[in-house]
Amino acid sequence: MPAQPSNNMPEVMLPISQMGEITAEVDTKSLQETLCDAMGRFVVCKFLIGTGETVSVKGYLRSVGSSFFVLLDPCTNAETTCDLYSLKFITAYPEGVPECQMYCNQRLYDL
């Protein structure tokens, strides 16, 4: 007969009301659908270039395609087409943030 491990610790059971309800939600949207939700908002995108370098691009999300998206620079009105597959992180700001004029003024000092 195999020996049973001895466990002298009493088993503690928490009531369900103290454990709280655990829920998990899975977002089934594709990256393109998620980007479409941020259309018109100011975004900061980080792209992986090569094996370890990241590049940031900022602007208003203008359009989203199947493998690309377009950002509009509010200071120059230049459009930048970005590759969706090298995108690693995207931060979408609430509508109206940052305020365009303040962003452009700050960007002039950052150069």
Side-chain angles (χ1 to χ4, degrees):
M1 178 185 310
Q4 295 290 328
S6 68
N7 186 356
N8 294 334
M9 299 291 293
E11 187 174 330
V12 177
M13 297 293 290
L14 291 177
I16 296 291
S17 62
Q18 288 182 355
M19 288 179 25
E21 186 175 325
I22 299 173
T23 60
E25 291 184 26
V26 176
D27 190 354
T28 58
K29 292 182 189 176
S30 68
L31 183 56
Q32 290 92 337
E33 291 171 316
T34 303
L35 284 172
C36 284
D37 289 345
M39 195 85 68
R41 292 167 47 192
F42 188 83
V43 296
V44 177
C45 303
K46 290 199 179 245
F47 299 90
L48 181 63
I49 308 298
T51 58
E53 183 182 351
T54 59
V55 174
S56 292
V57 181
K58 303 172 186 178
Y60 286 93
L61 188 56
R62 180 104 168 178
S63 64
V64 179
S66 59
S67 63
F68 69 94
F69 59 98
V70 179
L71 296 180
L72 175 68
D73 184 328
C75 304
T76 62
N77 284 332
E79 291 183 339
T80 303
T81 303
C82 305
D83 176 30
L84 192 62
Y85 298 111
S86 60
L87 176 67
K88 294 301 170 195
F89 302 102
I90 186 164
T91 302
Y93 287 84
E95 282 190 45
V97 177
E99 194 272 323
C100 280
Q101 190 61 45
M102 288 184 66
Y103 169 75
C104 292
N105 289 341
Q106 180 63 40
R107 193 172 126 186
L108 287 173
Y109 291 111
D110 289 343
L111 294 176

